[in-house]
Amino acid sequence: MTIRFSFGGDEHIFGEVSESMSLEAFFTSLSMTNAVRAAGIKGVTEICPANASFQVKFDPDAIKPDDLLKELQGMEAAASQSDASLQTRIIEIPVFYQDPWTHETLMRFRERHQDPSKTDLEYAAEINGLGTVENFIKAHSSQPWFVSMVGFVAGLPFLYQMVERERQLQVPKYLRPRTDTPKLTVGHGGCFSCIYSVRGAGGYQMFGVTPMPIYDPTQKVSYLQDEMCLFRPGDIVKWKPISRDDYDAALEAVEENRFEPVIRPATFSLSEFNKDMAGTNAKLMEALNGR
Amino acid sequence: MAVKVINPGLSTTVQDLGRPGYYHLGIPLSGGMDRFALRVANMLVGNDEGAAVLEAVFMGPELEFTAAATVAVTGGDLPPKVNGEERAGWEAFPVKAGDRLSFGFLKSGARAYIAVSGGIDVPVKLGSRATYTLGALGGHEGRALKAGDELPVGEGVQGKGSVPEALRRMPGSPAELRMLPGLYWHRITAEAGQRFFADTWKVAPEADRIGYRFKGGTALDFVPREQPFGAGSNPSNIVDACYPYGSIQVPGGTEPIVLHRDAVSGGGYMMVGCVISADMDLIGQLQPHSPARFVEVTMDQALAARADRQAALARVRAHLGL
């Protein structure tokens, strides 16, 4: 893969590893941003990996744009050959699918949807050929997902499915974005799922909500006291479907600040994953469930 | 010393020069939209140029001071009044304990910067006092001010002086926003690119600290392609990527949106380039319905414009004897 570089005004360099999404493109992007961070280049102020691209913000008074571009181009060969493996974490996210709050919201914005006669989940199940909402939820929650980008708003993870491309769930975004999305909505657009960290505008289809905070600017939530944002690129997520009762109990635990997320260390190797996806995912589940 | 909020205005927030270093987590810079005006307001009251001030948009707040201080209001022409008596903008003036600062109607521009000697002393969050309202972070309780809020003010040296119009920096009409084409510029046809620069656009009502939407120009034609995997079906869709500050995205090819200080850090819409750093301040002074044009520049011209802006700030410092 040859990275396409472009200046974003006089303060950014944008690097597109690939036009299409793949874990290979993500790992090259992550390697590039890790290399830029390790190089400690004077004048670099922000280093942002994304799904299949990345961005470096710089102060052109400290480094000439062309000089920084040359430095980045010099890192490209090493980054694309680097061993795509990670010491990372697997995080279980409880999801109350078909909850009343996203349902109320999606009904308010039906006229912006491709199929106003169906809910977002009914539509997603149909266009993915899965027949029923239950089958869709099973497909959505049975395999792990890979955090390939953090952003849009504070701490929002973009999640990529760890299955063969043919099996990936794809759903278009709303025709026109909504002006409202409940906080902690689990959404999906294109091939990505996400968790909306704050209430606000959004264009992804809405499938459910999690009771588990993922961003806390007040840093009071027990597991968000050191870092306001839970997710980092490279984290692995497993959705756990829960009932209304489970949701209410989890929410009570969150409110009393005794909610403990299930987070376990895990290793991930892209080459092993490509050789044996089912086997890799099974090992990740063992890491999560301690079996 | 404190400032009491009697009436918050339309949307008044605490801002400084922002919060770099967290964009990879989706936490934007924030800070004053018109940083030239913010810096000058601080210079006038003897603060560090990056001290926290109040940014008011379209309508000013009403404030009461609990102790004597020096105040300056810069940016858009939002006439300050002390106990109902008008004061000049871009000029330091004293206030006493119990004095009330209010504002007349906005005459030009969009945002005013209210600096108080000592600086607004809200807690520093991730290295900055700037308010990021979408993330409920920084500023006063992570939000725009409300009546009844009380903002602490630091100890300050008292400044003096005024800045004549010739040394200020405000957009013309139509505003000329210089931009460097790039990013996904290759996705639009050559004719669409020419029309993008030829058209006069208008600021849409959806214009805030996250971004400014423009309308009234010609919809962009895209170079045909099969959409890449994961990008989405609209020709303006890309695999979700980082959004630079000042980047110009064009969802559906219709209405360009220029991302500003509270930018969303990424998303799935193609961008045709970026407004250059020197002209970001000017966007913060545009009202809805005001006309604007995008002017193509090269990187060398962008860097020269950046140097010109810095020279303009240096002239203000020299004028004030700083």
Side-chain angles (χ1 to χ4, degrees):
Chain A
M1 280 182 259
T2 307
I3 298 174
R4 181 178 70 82
F5 286 101
S6 175
F7 287 111
D10 48 327
E11 292 186 335
H12 309 81
I13 293 183
F14 182 86
E16 184 185 59
V17 177
S18 167
E19 282 194 328
S20 55
M21 180 57 197
S22 66
L23 283 180
E24 284 75 8
F26 165 76
F27 270 96
T28 301
S29 145
L30 190 66
S31 302
M32 278 299 292
T33 52
N34 285 342
V36 175
R37 193 170 295 111
I41 302 164
K42 194 182 74 166
V44 167
T45 58
E46 306 266 8
I47 302 166
C48 306
N51 295 305
S53 58
F54 61 90
Q55 176 177 298
V56 176
K57 183 167 192 279
F58 62 96
D59 174 3
D61 303 326
I63 184 165
K64 285 184 189 155
D66 281 330
D67 291 349
L68 180 57
L69 178 60
K70 280 192 201 104
E71 291 224 34
L72 297 184
Q73 284 168 332
M75 296 172 182
E76 184 176 344
S80 53
Q81 282 161 19
S82 74
D83 178 30
S85 63
L86 280 176
Q87 289 298 320
T88 181
R89 313 179 289 177
I90 179 159
I91 304 173
E92 183 177 85
I93 304 284
V95 186
F96 179 19
Y97 289 95
Q98 305 191 79
D99 66 288
W101 307 284
T102 58
H103 184 79
E104 185 277 327
T105 308
L106 68 88
M107 292 309 288
R108 266 193 285 142
F109 293 100
R110 274 303 82 183
E111 86 291 353
R112 303 184 185 208
H113 195 271
Q114 288 83 355
D115 189 346
S117 69
K118 294 193 178 67
T119 67
D120 292 8
L121 269 168
E122 286 165 354
Y123 173 71
E126 179 184 285
I127 64 164
N128 283 280
L130 290 165
T132 65
V133 166
E134 287 65 33
N135 287 345
F136 184 86
I137 291 171
K138 196 171 172 215
H140 190 257
S141 60
S142 61
Q143 299 297 324
W145 296 63
F146 196 91
V147 176
S148 51
M149 178 170 171
V150 176
F152 178 58
V153 292
L156 179 150
F158 287 83
L159 299 137
Y160 184 68
Q161 301 157 86
M162 295 172 66
V163 293
E164 296 81 1
R165 187 175 279 192
E166 316 77 80
R167 285 179 58 203
Q168 295 210 351
L169 305 170
Q170 288 200 72
V171 195
K173 297 170 192 172
Y174 271 46
L175 296 175
R176 284 183 297 127
R178 296 175 305 273
T179 52
D180 192 16
T181 310
K183 185 176 163 182
L184 295 174
T185 290
V186 174
H188 194 98
C191 68
F192 298 104
S193 274
C194 80
I195 306 170
Y196 284 89
S197 52
V198 296
R199 184 179 177 178
Y204 278 25
Q205 308 277 338
M206 297 182 292
F207 296 162
V209 288
T210 176
M212 179 176 155
I214 61 166
Y215 166 69
D216 179 20
T218 64
Q219 290 172 288
K220 285 180 184 147
V221 172
S222 60
Y223 55 93
L224 296 173
Q225 283 171 356
D226 296 333
E227 308 260 358
M228 290 181 189
C229 302
L230 175 66
F231 288 106
R232 316 192 258 275
D235 282 339
I236 293 170
V237 162
K238 175 68 173 54
W239 308 114
K240 180 189 177 191
I242 59 168
S243 66
R244 175 69 194 253
D245 286 348
D246 295 340
Y247 177 85
D248 288 342
L251 204 61
E252 200 179 301
V254 166
E255 276 159 12
E256 291 167 8
N257 210 4
R258 56 178 170 77
F259 182 86
E260 283 183 29
V262 182
I263 302 177
R264 304 275 182 261
T267 55
F268 178 83
S269 152
L270 182 58
S271 56
E272 278 175 29
F273 175 74
N274 283 336
K275 262 184 259 158
D276 179 10
M277 289 189 193
T280 305
N281 290 349
K283 272 188 207 155
L284 287 168
M285 287 307 100
E286 280 169 28
L288 181 68
N289 298 317
R291 282 196 294 272
Chain B
M1 160 70 175
V3 174
K4 290 183 187 169
V5 179
I6 308 299
N7 179 330
L10 190 64
S11 177
T12 303
T13 52
V14 177
Q15 299 295 349
D16 58 15
L17 292 176
R19 181 178 286 116
Y22 303 92
Y23 205 39
H24 64 290
L25 297 174
I27 299 175
L29 266 178
S30 305
M33 287 188 70
D34 179 353
R35 296 203 170 165
F36 184 94
L38 183 148
R39 284 175 180 272
V40 173
N42 276 321
M43 289 179 206
L44 283 165
V45 299
N47 290 347
D48 286 343
E49 288 179 24
V53 305
L54 300 181
E55 178 184 271
V57 59
F58 305 141
M59 267 173 64
E62 185 173 354
L63 308 169
E64 189 179 296
F65 298 88
T66 63
T70 303
V71 173
V73 180
T74 63
D77 190 358
L78 188 69
K81 295 175 186 174
V82 175
N83 303 327
E85 254 179 60
E86 205 159 305
R87 297 282 184 275
W90 299 82
E91 182 171 324
F93 55 84
V95 292
K96 303 184 303 295
D99 278 355
R100 283 203 175 184
L101 176 67
S102 63
F103 293 86
F105 290 111
L106 181 70
K107 292 178 185 163
S108 66
R111 286 177 174 78
Y113 293 84
I114 306 159
V116 182
S117 54
I120 305 296
D121 193 21
V122 295
V124 172
K125 290 278 184 174
L126 302 180
S128 163
R129 294 185 171 88
T131 314
Y132 167 45
T133 48
L134 192 58
L137 177 65
H140 180 71
E141 299 179 358
R143 58 166 171 78
L145 300 182
K146 288 183 189 163
D149 288 345
E150 201 162 314
L151 306 171
V153 175
E155 296 288 316
V157 193
Q158 306 212 335
K160 60 182 190 316
S162 66
V163 174
E165 206 162 337
L167 294 184
R168 304 173 195 170
R169 200 165 169 266
M170 295 292 287
S173 184
E176 296 203 337
L177 304 176
R178 289 168 287 187
M179 72 91 99
L180 188 64
L183 304 171
Y184 290 85
W185 178 261
H186 58 278
R187 290 284 304 115
I188 62 170
T189 63
E191 299 75 41
Q194 284 161 9
R195 281 198 305 267
F196 182 77
F197 291 121
D199 286 341
T200 297
W201 300 81
K202 272 202 159 83
V203 175
E206 303 91 344
D208 59 22
R209 293 185 42 83
I210 299 172
Y212 260 59
R213 185 185 284 260
F214 293 84
K215 59 183 186 179
T218 316
L220 303 180
D221 290 324
F222 291 93
V223 176
R225 72 166 174 182
E226 190 183 325
Q227 281 295 95
F229 177 78
S233 48
N234 190 280
S236 69
N237 286 150
I238 57 171
V239 168
D240 293 63
C242 298
Y243 286 156
Y245 295 102
S247 61
I248 307 168
Q249 58 178 269
V250 196
T254 55
E255 295 181 344
I257 299 168
V258 181
L259 291 181
H260 219 277
R261 310 294 185 196
D262 285 0
V264 289
S265 70
Y269 291 114
M270 59 80 73
M271 302 154 275
V272 292
C274 284
V275 171
I276 65 173
S277 63
D279 287 354
M280 289 292 282
D281 293 334
L282 303 180
I283 295 175
Q285 294 299 354
L286 298 179
Q287 291 179 12
H289 312 299
S290 55
R293 290 184 55 237
F294 296 101
V295 177
E296 181 176 7
V297 293
T298 62
M299 177 62 89
D300 284 345
Q301 289 169 317
L303 295 175
R306 185 180 173 90
D308 286 347
R309 178 184 173 280
Q310 284 162 355
L313 275 169
R315 282 195 295 276
V316 177
R317 283 182 207 113
H319 170 78
L320 294 173
L322 298 171

